[in-house]
Amino acid sequence: MRKLFDVDEYLRCIGHEGEAKPDLDTLRALHKKHLMAIAYNSVSSLTRPPSRRGTGVDLVDIDEDATFDAVIAEGHGGGCIQLSRLFFRLLRELGFDVALLGGSTVEGAQLFGTEVEHMLLLVTLDDERWLVDVGYAGPSFLEPLRVGEEIQVQYGVQYRLVEDAGSLVLRRCARGGRWHVVYRFTLAVREPAAWSEFERKVNEKLRPTEPGAGGVGGAGGGLLLCSRAVDDGQAVLKGRRYLTVRDGREQVRTLVDNDEYENLAAGILAGPVG
């Protein structure tokens, strides 16, 4: 039986026990638990659930009940818009002051040529603003970031928000590494319709694959992008590139062996990652 969107079921699926008050401690706990419990899954983001219109990928006018059932209750994970829309609704129903923001990753801007590609959230608590993002494949922050100029450290990784030409740029520096751009965004509050142009370009450029065919990447060997957080970092698989972050230290390697690739991808999607 399909499970409709339900706050208690959502909290159970991400492993949150006890009262969920609209405060900073709860926000931090929900953010990290979500990233650990629900995988980013690019294949699922194109195939679950199908578009109401019957053709293409439906990223804007999604059925939140169907999306909740597939992405959260069944544990298939999803892409940024699915994950962020569901987490937005969860926070709103818990009483948080939360808004949708639009941004763009470096690759997304190159591929789709639009400033509104990535979806993230802004939560306001006691006149402080917090950046919230459970829908980025990573590597990125595991707990909310305060919107400010200071360097913030999480699990050995430094983060900083830098103003640039009317936008905010999220920069990240792993232990012993260099600063690089994660994505850019603005603080303008958005409605889901703002992603309509991005949805149109996705449907022009990408074709959904059938899950369960041709390995974890789907039929046709499409590029799989998946990730899941661990207690002190993340594991990210992009095609054959496997990146892990533990206590701020990054390791990356190319997977040549097909069995290893399949096992690591299946492990990320099924979770938890060791």
Side-chain angles (χ1 to χ4, degrees):
M1 179 181 295
R2 190 179 81 171
K3 293 185 177 180
L4 306 181
F5 188 100
D6 179 81
V7 170
D8 291 336
E9 177 67 11
Y10 202 138
L11 295 176
R12 185 194 68 78
C13 287
I14 65 174
H16 185 82
E17 300 178 353
E19 190 175 1
K21 299 178 181 179
D23 57 26
L24 183 56
D25 287 341
T26 299
L27 182 64
R28 283 175 169 151
L30 293 178
H31 194 281
K32 185 176 180 182
K33 288 177 179 179
H34 200 292
L35 290 171
M36 294 179 69
I38 308 298
Y40 183 99
N41 182 355
S42 65
V43 173
S44 178
S45 73
L46 297 181
T47 59
R48 296 175 183 271
S51 168
R52 293 188 207 173
R53 297 186 289 271
T55 59
V57 178
D58 195 340
L59 298 174
V60 176
D61 187 25
I62 66 172
D63 182 332
E64 291 185 352
D65 287 323
T67 304
F68 174 79
D69 185 52
V71 173
I72 305 298
E74 291 186 9
H76 294 294
C80 81
I81 293 178
Q82 292 172 315
L83 295 169
S84 293
R85 283 277 295 275
L86 291 172
F87 199 53
F88 169 80
R89 180 170 171 182
L90 173 67
L91 295 181
R92 184 179 59 188
E93 295 200 12
L94 288 174
F96 284 93
D97 180 355
V98 57
L100 296 176
L101 302 181
S104 183
T105 63
V106 175
E107 290 183 348
Q110 293 172 348
L111 183 60
F112 300 107
T114 176
E115 294 182 355
V116 180
E117 166 232 341
H118 184 54
M119 180 182 286
L120 55 156
L121 310 178
L122 183 72
V123 171
T124 303
L125 289 166
D126 298 325
D127 297 324
E128 284 193 324
R129 296 176 297 181
W130 297 87
L131 192 65
V132 170
D133 192 351
V134 298
Y136 182 68
S140 187
F141 54 96
L142 302 187
E143 298 177 4
L145 290 176
R146 190 194 318 271
V147 178
E149 297 180 354
E150 74 276 14
I151 293 176
Q152 301 173 62
V153 182
Q154 292 186 7
Y155 305 97
V157 180
Q158 298 181 84
Y159 299 91
R160 189 175 185 183
L161 293 171
V162 180
E163 292 189 24
D164 179 48
S167 298
L168 286 175
V169 177
L170 174 61
R171 297 177 61 84
R172 175 183 180 277
C173 181
R175 194 186 299 273
R178 299 180 179 179
W179 287 96
H180 70 273
V181 172
V182 179
Y183 49 68
R184 65 173 54 238
F185 64 98
T186 73
L187 295 176
V189 175
R190 309 279 185 175
E191 295 296 328
W195 281 264
S196 295
E197 176 66 11
F198 172 59
E199 177 182 275
R200 183 185 68 79
K201 293 188 176 184
V202 167
N203 284 317
E204 286 178 353
K205 291 179 177 290
L206 302 180
R207 293 293 180 269
T209 59
E210 292 296 327
V216 293
L223 177 66
L224 173 68
L225 175 58
C226 62
S227 68
R228 186 184 294 269
V230 296
D231 187 61
D232 63 347
Q234 285 174 292
V236 182
L237 181 62
K238 181 179 180 181
R240 297 278 177 163
R241 183 176 183 268
Y242 182 58
L243 182 148
T244 58
V245 186
R246 304 301 296 263
D247 192 29
R249 295 178 175 85
E250 292 187 355
Q251 292 185 334
V252 61
R253 59 193 177 95
T254 300
L255 304 177
V256 177
D257 182 80
N258 288 335
D259 288 340
E260 184 184 26
Y261 166 76
E262 294 281 346
N263 290 335
L264 284 173
I268 290 175
L269 295 177
V273 178

